[in-house]
Amino acid sequence: MKRKFETLFVGQALFKTVWRTAWATVVVGAVAACGGGGGNDNANAAAIAAVVAANAAGSSGPPPPAVVPAPPVEPSVPTEVAPPEKKTKWATTWQAALYPNIPQNENSDTVRMRIRTSVGGEGVRIRLSNVFGTATMRVDHASVALPDAGKASDPTAIDLGTRKVLTFNGGKTLAEVPAGTELLSDPVSMNVPKLSDLLITLHFQGLIQYADMHMNGAVPLPGYFVVRNRDVSGDASIKAAAPNYQTYNGAFSLSEVKVLAPEETRVVIAMSESITAGFGAKGIQEPWPAVLSKLANSNGEPLGVGNAGISGNSMIGSGSGPSLRSRFERDVLSRDPTDIVILAGDNDLNQGYTPDQIIEHYKYFVETARARKIKVYGGVNTPIGNIPGIGDAGRTYFVDDPANYGKWLKINEWIKTPGNFDGVIDFPAVVSNPASMPLALSSDCYMPGSPIHLNTRGLDVMGTLAYDVLYGKKEKPAAPCNGLEFPPSN
């Protein structure tokens, strides 16, 4: 709203007759402002009425002089326009899909977890998870901090100047998470950089079961540091405070971290199994969803990425963790994505489900997401054929039965059919050995010892292709897997 200015109009007449001794001075104010006079309308009406009354009273005498407007008064200070309000939203910057752990019986543990962000933001929230617990989980200290850049050799060291203590349920420092639930913290202001490490510290009050976990020695997961039976949550370094601390490669009791990001930020949740989780990667930045995140955020396109992959997971049956169907609401939709990438089906085929059953689940995911205005991209399942030229070490055994290859092909053809998804990411076109039938992974990009999985090079190629499809780009990987066109033409 521009500033309001007032222009003063003065009209004055003095009449002396035998019937009157004086005329009253009449001052009429008229307002010039954007959007109309607003609350000055009554004052304007009263002033006009006073002029009319004065004219009527003096009708037997000479008429009053005309009211002449004075020149408008210019403002002495230039109008200042307030900057537009910055529009933001809460976006997932990190996620782990959790599944049941054998319940533990620990007491008063302190844990510190080092995660890797995707998109950056100006605030932070964390989501505690006790979905698979049998007792209420109590956390009486929760905080977030940036790592201490001067102590790179200590993965537990935080910069105390950046630490923010978190609260829950409108200001409570004690978080009580009943069995079977998750709990999102209150927002706290904090500058969280993109593509960087962030440390979350928790102290559990009393019993902690660690019932919710994601742990896999072949998947690069956050560092999880534990001090038993002591509260060292306020210390800058767990390593210094308790040299006998324990280290785990995984995630426990923490399922998501959100940041207050620009409103235009996209949020992609990638699901569902080992290739998405990052089986075969050497570091936390190497699974294909992390490659997608790095490309987008490095190119100035804010993108939050959540990895909802679980090794051995299936859409329909119970494998490693709950089925994708049963966890779709919690692990995917509740994270408020703008986009979903589904790469699934191989494990279901291995469990004996038919292509038609698998396709029906794809339809469920797509229809449910589209009803919430979420775009869904179908990842074409990566090759499952034997790696040629390396003997038994390259056998997947799946395609030893020709019928299995036909089932795999039927699912992929449905995924690629226009209209079934909002977009298609044709992974086999960029990671396969096109000379091998049935298709096998390229000999440059498979993981030795597990020929259905990708190595770091193959995961980089997959993440680059996902970026190209989601953003309409033609970025090329540092080292391709085959000599075919990249990205493939539609």
Side-chain angles (χ1 to χ4, degrees), residues 154-199:
D154 182 356
T156 75
I158 63 173
D159 179 351
L160 287 175
T162 67
R163 185 177 65 168
K164 300 288 185 178
V165 175
L166 298 170
T167 60
F168 300 82
N169 293 321
K172 297 178 181 177
T173 54
L174 176 63
E176 297 184 284
V177 190
T181 68
E182 294 182 313
L183 179 62
L184 187 63
S185 73
D186 299 330
V188 65
S189 176
M190 181 181 183
N191 182 22
V192 180
K194 64 183 179 182
L195 303 174
S196 63
D197 287 355
L198 184 70
L199 287 98

mmCIF file of all heavy atoms in Angstrom, residues 154-199:
data_model
loop_
_atom_site.group_PDB
_atom_site.id
_atom_site.type_symbol
_atom_site.label_atom_id
_atom_site.label_comp_id
_atom_site.label_asym_id
_atom_site.label_seq_id
_atom_site.Cartn_x
_atom_site.Cartn_y
_atom_site.Cartn_z
ATOM 1 N N ASP A 154 37.105 -35.715 13.475
ATOM 2 C CA ASP A 154 36.165 -36.157 14.508
ATOM 3 C C ASP A 154 34.743 -36.057 13.953
ATOM 4 O O ASP A 154 34.166 -34.974 13.896
ATOM 5 C CB ASP A 154 36.303 -35.286 15.760
ATOM 6 C CG ASP A 154 35.383 -35.718 16.895
ATOM 7 O OD1 ASP A 154 34.575 -36.657 16.696
ATOM 8 O OD2 ASP A 154 35.461 -35.107 17.975
ATOM 9 N N PRO A 155 34.145 -37.170 13.529
ATOM 10 C CA PRO A 155 32.803 -37.109 12.927
ATOM 11 C C PRO A 155 31.710 -36.745 13.915
ATOM 12 O O PRO A 155 30.583 -36.465 13.496
ATOM 13 C CB PRO A 155 32.603 -38.526 12.386
ATOM 14 C CG PRO A 155 33.450 -39.384 13.261
ATOM 15 C CD PRO A 155 34.651 -38.558 13.606
ATOM 16 N N THR A 156 32.014 -36.743 15.223
ATOM 17 C CA THR A 156 31.006 -36.421 16.231
ATOM 18 C C THR A 156 31.065 -34.966 16.677
ATOM 19 O O THR A 156 30.233 -34.527 17.477
ATOM 20 C CB THR A 156 31.181 -37.305 17.475
ATOM 21 O OG1 THR A 156 32.317 -36.858 18.238
ATOM 22 C CG2 THR A 156 31.365 -38.763 17.100
ATOM 23 N N ALA A 157 32.037 -34.185 16.194
ATOM 24 C CA ALA A 157 32.255 -32.826 16.687
ATOM 25 C C ALA A 157 31.289 -31.845 16.036
ATOM 26 O O ALA A 157 31.159 -31.806 14.809
ATOM 27 C CB ALA A 157 33.690 -32.400 16.423
ATOM 28 N N ILE A 158 30.629 -31.051 16.873
ATOM 29 C CA ILE A 158 29.705 -30.037 16.369
ATOM 30 C C ILE A 158 30.225 -28.646 16.694
ATOM 31 O O ILE A 158 31.026 -28.447 17.614
ATOM 32 C CB ILE A 158 28.292 -30.204 16.970
ATOM 33 C CG1 ILE A 158 28.318 -30.010 18.495
ATOM 34 C CG2 ILE A 158 27.692 -31.548 16.599
ATOM 35 C CD1 ILE A 158 26.946 -29.987 19.145
ATOM 36 N N ASP A 159 29.770 -27.675 15.919
ATOM 37 C CA ASP A 159 30.041 -26.268 16.181
ATOM 38 C C ASP A 159 28.969 -25.778 17.153
ATOM 39 O O ASP A 159 27.813 -25.575 16.763
ATOM 40 C CB ASP A 159 30.000 -25.493 14.868
ATOM 41 C CG ASP A 159 30.261 -24.003 15.049
ATOM 42 O OD1 ASP A 159 30.300 -23.530 16.202
ATOM 43 O OD2 ASP A 159 30.398 -23.306 14.028
ATOM 44 N N LEU A 160 29.345 -25.605 18.422
ATOM 45 C CA LEU A 160 28.358 -25.227 19.444
ATOM 46 C C LEU A 160 27.685 -23.897 19.135
ATOM 47 O O LEU A 160 26.543 -23.663 19.545
ATOM 48 C CB LEU A 160 29.018 -25.169 20.819
ATOM 49 C CG LEU A 160 29.369 -26.516 21.462
ATOM 50 C CD1 LEU A 160 30.124 -26.304 22.760
ATOM 51 C CD2 LEU A 160 28.111 -27.342 21.706
ATOM 52 N N GLY A 161 28.345 -23.036 18.393
ATOM 53 C CA GLY A 161 27.743 -21.757 18.029
ATOM 54 C C GLY A 161 26.572 -21.878 17.088
ATOM 55 O O GLY A 161 25.784 -20.939 16.951
ATOM 56 N N THR A 162 26.436 -23.023 16.449
ATOM 57 C CA THR A 162 25.318 -23.230 15.514
ATOM 58 C C THR A 162 24.212 -24.094 16.107
ATOM 59 O O THR A 162 23.182 -24.296 15.461
ATOM 60 C CB THR A 162 25.814 -23.901 14.220
ATOM 61 O OG1 THR A 162 26.248 -25.238 14.513
ATOM 62 C CG2 THR A 162 26.956 -23.116 13.604
ATOM 63 N N ARG A 163 24.414 -24.606 17.290
ATOM 64 C CA ARG A 163 23.461 -25.576 17.846
ATOM 65 C C ARG A 163 22.119 -24.932 18.164
ATOM 66 O O ARG A 163 22.043 -23.848 18.722
ATOM 67 C CB ARG A 163 24.023 -26.223 19.114
ATOM 68 C CG ARG A 163 23.124 -27.324 19.658
ATOM 69 C CD ARG A 163 23.724 -28.000 20.865
ATOM 70 N NE ARG A 163 23.833 -27.085 21.998
ATOM 71 C CZ ARG A 163 24.108 -27.464 23.243
ATOM 72 N NH1 ARG A 163 24.324 -28.743 23.509
ATOM 73 N NH2 ARG A 163 24.197 -26.586 24.205
ATOM 74 N N LYS A 164 21.071 -25.639 17.810
ATOM 75 C CA LYS A 164 19.706 -25.214 18.108
ATOM 76 C C LYS A 164 19.000 -26.337 18.856
ATOM 77 O O LYS A 164 18.917 -27.467 18.369
ATOM 78 C CB LYS A 164 18.932 -24.909 16.821
ATOM 79 C CG LYS A 164 19.538 -23.797 15.975
ATOM 80 C CD LYS A 164 19.345 -22.439 16.602
ATOM 81 C CE LYS A 164 19.843 -21.349 15.670
ATOM 82 N NZ LYS A 164 19.619 -19.983 16.232
ATOM 83 N N VAL A 165 18.479 -26.028 20.036
ATOM 84 C CA VAL A 165 17.714 -27.005 20.813
ATOM 85 C C VAL A 165 16.292 -27.050 20.273
ATOM 86 O O VAL A 165 15.678 -26.008 20.007
ATOM 87 C CB VAL A 165 17.726 -26.643 22.307
ATOM 88 C CG1 VAL A 165 16.826 -27.592 23.099
ATOM 89 C CG2 VAL A 165 19.147 -26.687 22.854
ATOM 90 N N LEU A 166 15.775 -28.246 20.093
ATOM 91 C CA LEU A 166 14.454 -28.444 19.521
ATOM 92 C C LEU A 166 13.411 -28.677 20.599
ATOM 93 O O LEU A 166 13.716 -29.224 21.674
ATOM 94 C CB LEU A 166 14.463 -29.636 18.566
ATOM 95 C CG LEU A 166 15.388 -29.503 17.353
ATOM 96 C CD1 LEU A 166 15.497 -30.839 16.630
ATOM 97 C CD2 LEU A 166 14.894 -28.421 16.409
ATOM 98 N N THR A 167 12.181 -28.277 20.303
ATOM 99 C CA THR A 167 11.050 -28.545 21.188
ATOM 100 C C THR A 167 9.966 -29.273 20.398
ATOM 101 O O THR A 167 10.029 -29.382 19.171
ATOM 102 C CB THR A 167 10.479 -27.242 21.786
ATOM 103 O OG1 THR A 167 10.036 -26.395 20.712
ATOM 104 C CG2 THR A 167 11.529 -26.517 22.612
ATOM 105 N N PHE A 168 8.944 -29.735 21.136
ATOM 106 C CA PHE A 168 7.879 -30.540 20.531
ATOM 107 C C PHE A 168 6.535 -30.116 21.101
ATOM 108 O O PHE A 168 6.458 -29.618 22.236
ATOM 109 C CB PHE A 168 8.117 -32.024 20.801
ATOM 110 C CG PHE A 168 9.421 -32.550 20.250
ATOM 111 C CD1 PHE A 168 10.609 -32.374 20.943
ATOM 112 C CD2 PHE A 168 9.459 -33.191 19.025
ATOM 113 C CE1 PHE A 168 11.817 -32.838 20.439
ATOM 114 C CE2 PHE A 168 10.656 -33.658 18.504
ATOM 115 C CZ PHE A 168 11.840 -33.486 19.214
ATOM 116 N N ASN A 169 5.498 -30.319 20.323
ATOM 117 C CA ASN A 169 4.127 -30.061 20.790
ATOM 118 C C ASN A 169 3.959 -28.666 21.373
ATOM 119 O O ASN A 169 3.358 -28.472 22.419
ATOM 120 C CB ASN A 169 3.701 -31.120 21.815
ATOM 121 C CG ASN A 169 3.567 -32.494 21.196
ATOM 122 O OD1 ASN A 169 3.092 -32.630 20.076
ATOM 123 N ND2 ASN A 169 3.999 -33.525 21.912
ATOM 124 N N GLY A 170 4.530 -27.674 20.684
ATOM 125 C CA GLY A 170 4.321 -26.292 21.094
ATOM 126 C C GLY A 170 5.207 -25.811 22.212
ATOM 127 O O GLY A 170 4.766 -25.002 23.025
ATOM 128 N N GLY A 171 6.450 -26.278 22.286
ATOM 129 C CA GLY A 171 7.398 -25.718 23.242
ATOM 130 C C GLY A 171 7.906 -26.651 24.315
ATOM 131 O O GLY A 171 8.667 -26.233 25.193
ATOM 132 N N LYS A 172 7.552 -27.922 24.276
ATOM 133 C CA LYS A 172 8.013 -28.860 25.303
ATOM 134 C C LYS A 172 9.369 -29.443 24.913
ATOM 135 O O LYS A 172 9.562 -29.898 23.789
ATOM 136 C CB LYS A 172 7.003 -29.995 25.477
ATOM 137 C CG LYS A 172 5.640 -29.539 25.957
ATOM 138 C CD LYS A 172 4.679 -30.718 26.060
ATOM 139 C CE LYS A 172 3.296 -30.270 26.515
ATOM 140 N NZ LYS A 172 2.342 -31.418 26.549
ATOM 141 N N THR A 173 10.304 -29.440 25.858
ATOM 142 C CA THR A 173 11.609 -30.035 25.575
ATOM 143 C C THR A 173 11.554 -31.558 25.648
ATOM 144 O O THR A 173 12.406 -32.232 25.077
ATOM 145 C CB THR A 173 12.673 -29.522 26.565
ATOM 146 O OG1 THR A 173 12.220 -29.757 27.900
ATOM 147 C CG2 THR A 173 12.919 -28.029 26.358
ATOM 148 N N LEU A 174 10.566 -32.095 26.351
ATOM 149 C CA LEU A 174 10.395 -33.544 26.419
ATOM 150 C C LEU A 174 9.486 -34.006 25.287
ATOM 151 O O LEU A 174 8.332 -33.591 25.198
ATOM 152 C CB LEU A 174 9.808 -33.967 27.767
ATOM 153 C CG LEU A 174 9.494 -35.471 27.913
ATOM 154 C CD1 LEU A 174 10.770 -36.305 27.821
ATOM 155 C CD2 LEU A 174 8.749 -35.745 29.223
ATOM 156 N N ALA A 175 10.015 -34.863 24.432
ATOM 157 C CA ALA A 175 9.216 -35.454 23.362
ATOM 158 C C ALA A 175 8.781 -36.846 23.787
ATOM 159 O O ALA A 175 9.615 -37.691 24.116
ATOM 160 C CB ALA A 175 10.034 -35.537 22.075
ATOM 161 N N GLU A 176 7.483 -37.087 23.809
ATOM 162 C CA GLU A 176 6.942 -38.398 24.126
ATOM 163 C C GLU A 176 6.288 -38.958 22.867
ATOM 164 O O GLU A 176 5.327 -38.389 22.357
ATOM 165 C CB GLU A 176 5.943 -38.307 25.277
ATOM 166 C CG GLU A 176 6.587 -37.828 26.583
ATOM 167 C CD GLU A 176 5.610 -37.844 27.745
ATOM 168 O OE1 GLU A 176 4.764 -36.931 27.791
ATOM 169 O OE2 GLU A 176 5.688 -38.760 28.586
ATOM 170 N N VAL A 177 6.849 -40.065 22.374
ATOM 171 C CA VAL A 177 6.392 -40.647 21.108
ATOM 172 C C VAL A 177 5.765 -42.000 21.408
ATOM 173 O O VAL A 177 6.477 -42.984 21.645
ATOM 174 C CB VAL A 177 7.558 -40.801 20.118
ATOM 175 C CG1 VAL A 177 7.028 -41.164 18.735
ATOM 176 C CG2 VAL A 177 8.405 -39.541 20.062
ATOM 177 N N PRO A 178 4.449 -42.092 21.430
ATOM 178 C CA PRO A 178 3.805 -43.368 21.746
ATOM 179 C C PRO A 178 4.156 -44.443 20.716
ATOM 180 O O PRO A 178 4.506 -44.154 19.569
ATOM 181 C CB PRO A 178 2.302 -43.033 21.698
ATOM 182 C CG PRO A 178 2.231 -41.545 21.891
ATOM 183 C CD PRO A 178 3.460 -41.005 21.247
ATOM 184 N N ALA A 179 4.048 -45.682 21.133
ATOM 185 C CA ALA A 179 4.286 -46.804 20.230
ATOM 186 C C ALA A 179 3.364 -46.707 19.026
ATOM 187 O O ALA A 179 2.185 -46.356 19.142
ATOM 188 C CB ALA A 179 4.057 -48.120 20.969
ATOM 189 N N GLY A 180 3.920 -46.979 17.857
ATOM 190 C CA GLY A 180 3.135 -46.969 16.637
ATOM 191 C C GLY A 180 3.018 -45.623 15.961
ATOM 192 O O GLY A 180 2.263 -45.490 14.985
ATOM 193 N N THR A 181 3.775 -44.606 16.422
ATOM 194 C CA THR A 181 3.612 -43.251 15.882
ATOM 195 C C THR A 181 4.959 -42.614 15.550
ATOM 196 O O THR A 181 6.023 -43.104 15.913
ATOM 197 C CB THR A 181 2.881 -42.336 16.874
ATOM 198 O OG1 THR A 181 3.712 -42.107 18.013
ATOM 199 C CG2 THR A 181 1.561 -42.939 17.320
ATOM 200 N N GLU A 182 4.854 -41.465 14.864
ATOM 201 C CA GLU A 182 5.974 -40.567 14.627
ATOM 202 C C GLU A 182 5.634 -39.218 15.245
ATOM 203 O O GLU A 182 4.463 -38.930 15.510
ATOM 204 C CB GLU A 182 6.231 -40.379 13.121
ATOM 205 C CG GLU A 182 6.692 -41.625 12.398
ATOM 206 C CD GLU A 182 6.961 -41.355 10.925
ATOM 207 O OE1 GLU A 182 6.107 -40.718 10.271
ATOM 208 O OE2 GLU A 182 8.030 -41.773 10.428
ATOM 209 N N LEU A 183 6.654 -38.373 15.451
ATOM 210 C CA LEU A 183 6.425 -37.049 16.032
ATOM 211 C C LEU A 183 7.366 -36.051 15.367
ATOM 212 O O LEU A 183 8.582 -36.227 15.370
ATOM 213 C CB LEU A 183 6.675 -37.068 17.538
ATOM 214 C CG LEU A 183 6.499 -35.727 18.268
ATOM 215 C CD1 LEU A 183 5.059 -35.227 18.157
ATOM 216 C CD2 LEU A 183 6.901 -35.857 19.737
ATOM 217 N N LEU A 184 6.770 -34.981 14.802
ATOM 218 C CA LEU A 184 7.532 -33.931 14.152
ATOM 219 C C LEU A 184 7.809 -32.815 15.151
ATOM 220 O O LEU A 184 6.915 -32.378 15.880
ATOM 221 C CB LEU A 184 6.743 -33.388 12.957
ATOM 222 C CG LEU A 184 7.434 -32.393 12.030
ATOM 223 C CD1 LEU A 184 8.626 -33.033 11.341
ATOM 224 C CD2 LEU A 184 6.436 -31.865 10.997
ATOM 225 N N SER A 185 9.042 -32.346 15.199
ATOM 226 C CA SER A 185 9.414 -31.298 16.148
ATOM 227 C C SER A 185 8.812 -29.957 15.745
ATOM 228 O O SER A 185 8.358 -29.757 14.616
ATOM 229 C CB SER A 185 10.935 -31.170 16.236
ATOM 230 O OG SER A 185 11.459 -30.565 15.067
ATOM 231 N N ASP A 186 8.837 -29.014 16.695
ATOM 232 C CA ASP A 186 8.475 -27.636 16.389
ATOM 233 C C ASP A 186 9.543 -27.036 15.471
ATOM 234 O O ASP A 186 10.694 -27.470 15.484
ATOM 235 C CB ASP A 186 8.401 -26.807 17.675
ATOM 236 C CG ASP A 186 7.364 -27.321 18.658
ATOM 237 O OD1 ASP A 186 6.355 -27.895 18.209
ATOM 238 O OD2 ASP A 186 7.571 -27.143 19.875
ATOM 239 N N PRO A 187 9.178 -26.009 14.697
ATOM 240 C CA PRO A 187 10.181 -25.364 13.845
ATOM 241 C C PRO A 187 11.179 -24.559 14.670
ATOM 242 O O PRO A 187 10.836 -24.007 15.723
ATOM 243 C CB PRO A 187 9.361 -24.428 12.955
ATOM 244 C CG PRO A 187 7.927 -24.775 13.183
ATOM 245 C CD PRO A 187 7.842 -25.434 14.508
ATOM 246 N N VAL A 188 12.408 -24.479 14.191
ATOM 247 C CA VAL A 188 13.412 -23.616 14.796
ATOM 248 C C VAL A 188 14.192 -22.945 13.671
ATOM 249 O O VAL A 188 14.465 -23.556 12.636
ATOM 250 C CB VAL A 188 14.364 -24.400 15.734
ATOM 251 C CG1 VAL A 188 15.187 -25.418 14.961
ATOM 252 C CG2 VAL A 188 15.278 -23.457 16.492
ATOM 253 N N SER A 189 14.504 -21.674 13.870
ATOM 254 C CA SER A 189 15.246 -20.935 12.855
ATOM 255 C C SER A 189 16.704 -21.394 12.839
ATOM 256 O O SER A 189 17.358 -21.486 13.876
ATOM 257 C CB SER A 189 15.171 -19.434 13.154
ATOM 258 O OG SER A 189 15.947 -18.702 12.251
ATOM 259 N N MET A 190 17.198 -21.703 11.644
ATOM 260 C CA MET A 190 18.590 -22.133 11.494
ATOM 261 C C MET A 190 18.968 -22.099 10.028
ATOM 262 O O MET A 190 18.189 -22.501 9.171
ATOM 263 C CB MET A 190 18.781 -23.551 12.043
ATOM 264 C CG MET A 190 20.207 -24.057 11.941
ATOM 265 S SD MET A 190 20.351 -25.742 12.579
ATOM 266 C CE MET A 190 22.127 -25.994 12.416
ATOM 267 N N ASN A 191 20.162 -21.636 9.743
ATOM 268 C CA ASN A 191 20.665 -21.657 8.381
ATOM 269 C C ASN A 191 21.264 -23.027 8.097
ATOM 270 O O ASN A 191 22.321 -23.367 8.609
ATOM 271 C CB ASN A 191 21.718 -20.563 8.186
ATOM 272 C CG ASN A 191 22.245 -20.523 6.763
ATOM 273 O OD1 ASN A 191 21.579 -20.988 5.842
ATOM 274 N ND2 ASN A 191 23.435 -19.986 6.581
ATOM 275 N N VAL A 192 20.566 -23.822 7.293
ATOM 276 C CA VAL A 192 20.999 -25.176 6.965
ATOM 277 C C VAL A 192 21.514 -25.177 5.528
ATOM 278 O O VAL A 192 20.739 -24.988 4.596
ATOM 279 C CB VAL A 192 19.849 -26.183 7.115
ATOM 280 C CG1 VAL A 192 20.327 -27.592 6.776
ATOM 281 C CG2 VAL A 192 19.276 -26.137 8.527
ATOM 282 N N PRO A 193 22.807 -25.376 5.317
ATOM 283 C CA PRO A 193 23.339 -25.343 3.944
ATOM 284 C C PRO A 193 22.884 -26.554 3.134
ATOM 285 O O PRO A 193 22.630 -27.631 3.674
ATOM 286 C CB PRO A 193 24.868 -25.373 4.151
ATOM 287 C CG PRO A 193 25.085 -25.032 5.592
ATOM 288 C CD PRO A 193 23.868 -25.507 6.321
ATOM 289 N N LYS A 194 22.809 -26.378 1.838
ATOM 290 C CA LYS A 194 22.497 -27.485 0.933
ATOM 291 C C LYS A 194 23.708 -28.394 0.785
ATOM 292 O O LYS A 194 24.847 -27.973 0.981
ATOM 293 C CB LYS A 194 22.067 -26.961 -0.431
ATOM 294 C CG LYS A 194 23.166 -26.205 -1.173
ATOM 295 C CD LYS A 194 22.668 -25.648 -2.489
ATOM 296 C CE LYS A 194 23.769 -24.859 -3.214
ATOM 297 N NZ LYS A 194 23.291 -24.264 -4.476
ATOM 298 N N LEU A 195 23.444 -29.661 0.468
ATOM 299 C CA LEU A 195 24.493 -30.625 0.145
ATOM 300 C C LEU A 195 25.614 -30.619 1.181
ATOM 301 O O LEU A 195 26.797 -30.561 0.855
ATOM 302 C CB LEU A 195 25.059 -30.330 -1.254
ATOM 303 C CG LEU A 195 24.044 -30.325 -2.403
ATOM 304 C CD1 LEU A 195 24.712 -29.874 -3.700
ATOM 305 C CD2 LEU A 195 23.393 -31.683 -2.580
ATOM 306 N N SER A 196 25.236 -30.676 2.446
ATOM 307 C CA SER A 196 26.228 -30.599 3.517
ATOM 308 C C SER A 196 25.820 -31.498 4.675
ATOM 309 O O SER A 196 24.699 -32.007 4.732
ATOM 310 C CB SER A 196 26.385 -29.156 3.998
ATOM 311 O OG SER A 196 25.161 -28.694 4.546
ATOM 312 N N ASP A 197 26.734 -31.668 5.625
ATOM 313 C CA ASP A 197 26.466 -32.513 6.781
ATOM 314 C C ASP A 197 25.729 -31.728 7.863
ATOM 315 O O ASP A 197 25.958 -30.532 8.058
ATOM 316 C CB ASP A 197 27.772 -33.068 7.352
ATOM 317 C CG ASP A 197 28.379 -34.149 6.468
ATOM 318 O OD1 ASP A 197 27.737 -34.517 5.466
ATOM 319 O OD2 ASP A 197 29.482 -34.612 6.775
ATOM 320 N N LEU A 198 24.846 -32.427 8.564
ATOM 321 C CA LEU A 198 24.090 -31.870 9.678
ATOM 322 C C LEU A 198 24.052 -32.932 10.763
ATOM 323 O O LEU A 198 23.859 -34.116 10.467
ATOM 324 C CB LEU A 198 22.675 -31.511 9.221
ATOM 325 C CG LEU A 198 21.754 -30.821 10.229
ATOM 326 C CD1 LEU A 198 22.235 -29.395 10.496
ATOM 327 C CD2 LEU A 198 20.316 -30.802 9.716
ATOM 328 N N LEU A 199 24.252 -32.519 12.015
ATOM 329 C CA LEU A 199 24.275 -33.476 13.112
ATOM 330 C C LEU A 199 23.079 -33.284 14.024
ATOM 331 O O LEU A 199 22.778 -32.163 14.442
ATOM 332 C CB LEU A 199 25.577 -33.351 13.918
ATOM 333 C CG LEU A 199 26.805 -33.896 13.180
ATOM 334 C CD1 LEU A 199 27.574 -32.763 12.527
ATOM 335 C CD2 LEU A 199 27.705 -34.690 14.109
#
